[in-house]
Amino acid sequence: TPPSSNRRQRQMCIRDSLKAEIGIPANMRELGVEEQELRSLAEATAQVSRLVAMNPRPMDVDDLEGILRAAW
Protein backbone atom coordinates (compact mmCIF):
# COMPACT_ATOMS: atom_id res chain seq x y z
CA THR A 1 0.00 0.00 0.00
CA PRO A 2 1.42 3.41 -0.96
CA PRO A 3 2.31 5.78 1.90
CA SER A 4 -0.39 8.26 0.84
CA SER A 5 -3.00 5.50 1.09
CA ASN A 6 -1.85 4.61 4.61
CA ARG A 7 -1.97 8.25 5.62
CA ARG A 8 -5.48 8.62 4.22
CA GLN A 9 -6.62 5.51 6.07
CA ARG A 10 -5.18 6.82 9.36
CA GLN A 11 -6.91 10.15 8.81
CA MET A 12 -10.23 8.40 8.22
CA CYS A 13 -9.77 6.34 11.42
CA ILE A 14 -9.04 9.48 13.42
CA ARG A 15 -12.06 11.22 11.91
CA ASP A 16 -14.36 8.28 12.64
CA SER A 17 -13.06 7.97 16.21
CA LEU A 18 -13.61 11.68 16.84
CA LYS A 19 -17.11 11.54 15.39
CA ALA A 20 -17.99 8.60 17.65
CA GLU A 21 -16.39 10.24 20.69
CA ILE A 22 -18.34 13.49 20.39
CA GLY A 23 -21.54 11.87 19.12
CA ILE A 24 -21.79 13.16 15.56
CA PRO A 25 -24.31 11.04 13.63
CA ALA A 26 -22.75 8.89 10.92
CA ASN A 27 -25.62 9.28 8.48
CA MET A 28 -29.04 10.80 7.90
CA ARG A 29 -30.75 7.71 9.31
CA GLU A 30 -29.12 8.40 12.68
CA LEU A 31 -30.53 11.93 12.49
CA GLY A 32 -34.02 10.43 12.30
CA VAL A 33 -34.62 10.95 8.58
CA GLU A 34 -36.94 8.26 7.22
CA GLU A 35 -36.13 6.66 3.86
CA GLN A 36 -39.51 7.65 2.43
CA GLU A 37 -38.61 11.31 3.08
CA LEU A 38 -35.60 11.29 0.74
CA ARG A 39 -37.52 12.06 -2.46
CA SER A 40 -39.35 15.02 -0.95
CA LEU A 41 -36.08 16.31 0.53
CA ALA A 42 -34.50 16.07 -2.94
CA GLU A 43 -37.44 17.93 -4.47
CA ALA A 44 -37.21 20.66 -1.83
CA THR A 45 -33.46 20.95 -2.33
CA ALA A 46 -33.94 21.32 -6.09
CA GLN A 47 -36.07 24.40 -5.38
CA VAL A 48 -33.17 26.16 -3.62
CA SER A 49 -31.50 27.55 -6.72
CA ARG A 50 -28.30 28.67 -4.97
CA LEU A 51 -27.65 25.08 -3.86
CA VAL A 52 -28.11 23.64 -7.33
CA ALA A 53 -26.60 26.53 -9.32
CA MET A 54 -23.33 26.50 -7.36
CA ASN A 55 -22.70 22.84 -8.16
CA PRO A 56 -20.10 22.33 -10.90
CA ARG A 57 -22.31 19.66 -12.53
CA PRO A 58 -25.92 20.10 -13.57
CA MET A 59 -28.16 18.27 -11.10
CA ASP A 60 -31.77 17.23 -11.19
CA VAL A 61 -34.05 15.79 -8.51
CA ASP A 62 -32.90 12.23 -9.30
CA ASP A 63 -29.25 13.23 -8.82
CA LEU A 64 -30.06 14.94 -5.53
CA GLU A 65 -32.02 11.92 -4.34
CA GLY A 66 -29.04 9.72 -5.16
CA ILE A 67 -26.79 11.88 -3.01
CA LEU A 68 -29.28 11.78 -0.15
CA ARG A 69 -29.62 7.99 -0.45
CA ALA A 70 -25.83 7.66 -0.24
CA ALA A 71 -25.90 9.76 2.93
CA TRP A 72 -28.86 7.87 4.39
Side-chain angles (χ1 to χ4, degrees), residues 1-62:
T1 316
S4 62
S5 177
N6 287 337
R7 181 176 181 202
R8 175 76 176 136
Q9 192 155 5
R10 283 194 315 272
Q11 290 170 337
M12 289 170 52
C13 270
I14 291 168
R15 178 205 62 200
D16 292 344
S17 294
L18 180 60
K19 283 171 48 178
E21 185 178 325
I22 62 177
I24 294 175
N27 53 48
M28 293 177 67
R29 198 170 337 155
E30 290 182 8
L31 287 170
V33 175
E34 300 290 333
E35 186 175 14
Q36 64 267 18
E37 295 177 272
L38 297 178
R39 183 67 183 192
S40 63
L41 287 170
E43 290 168 350
T45 301
Q47 299 303 310
V48 183
S49 59
R50 68 178 169 77
L51 296 176
V52 179
M54 298 301 282
N55 197 60
R57 267 185 24 194
M59 305 214 39
D60 61 18
V61 173
D62 292 331

